[in-house]
Amino acid sequence: MNTLKIIPATIDDVLKLQSIGQQTFSETFANVNSEENMKKYLDESFATAKLAAELDNPSSYFYLAVLDQKVVGYLKLNTADAQTEKEDLNALEIERIYVAKEFHGKKVAQALYAQAEEIAEEIKASYMWLGVWEKNFRAVSFYTKNGFVQFDTHIFRLGNDEQTDLMMKKVLI
């Protein structure tokens, strides 16, 4: 396997981000959600204008995992007021780590997570936190292995379906 690169995404990468975002979300959740709910979520969450605005937000960070010039995963981090929940302005939210299914088990998620740790250190975050669907056992296991513990739950809406996310955090200081 050639070298995996984790590179910052810029506004010029909006279509790559849209493509990998829709692909990985579908691969992860399409078989356990209705087609209508998936379509609504993908259309809204990965709309070009929405992604462009998120890329333009100085409190959010996007990274692409690139292997042989192919985007195989991505990472979205939020700080300050970009966090999806106002946990703590000095915290770093990992909003998304997604990897194309064919690259699961190949350390891509771990490389993206290492990038998140680097940013947390740079900004001197007191902790990292995230929300993960309670039935996404692979992701829950990944975060637990990396030192995250559950501290709460919240509701995540996928179309008209209310799902429970586990809120997990890792204290850094």
Side-chain angles (χ1 to χ4, degrees), residues 71-122:
V71 177
V72 299
Y74 75 106
L75 166 69
K76 181 183 183 200
L77 305 172
N78 297 314
T79 61
D81 59 350
Q83 295 177 83
T84 56
E85 293 197 10
K86 304 304 175 253
E87 289 300 322
D88 182 337
L89 290 179
N90 195 34
L92 177 69
E93 175 190 15
I94 299 175
E95 187 178 348
R96 297 185 174 138
I97 292 182
Y98 280 101
V99 175
K101 206 169 204 156
E102 66 181 293
F103 295 95
H104 283 186
K106 295 188 171 29
K107 307 275 187 251
V108 177
Q110 200 61 51
L112 288 165
Y113 174 71
Q115 181 65 50
E117 284 189 310
E118 205 174 288
I119 295 298
E121 203 173 292
E122 271 176 36

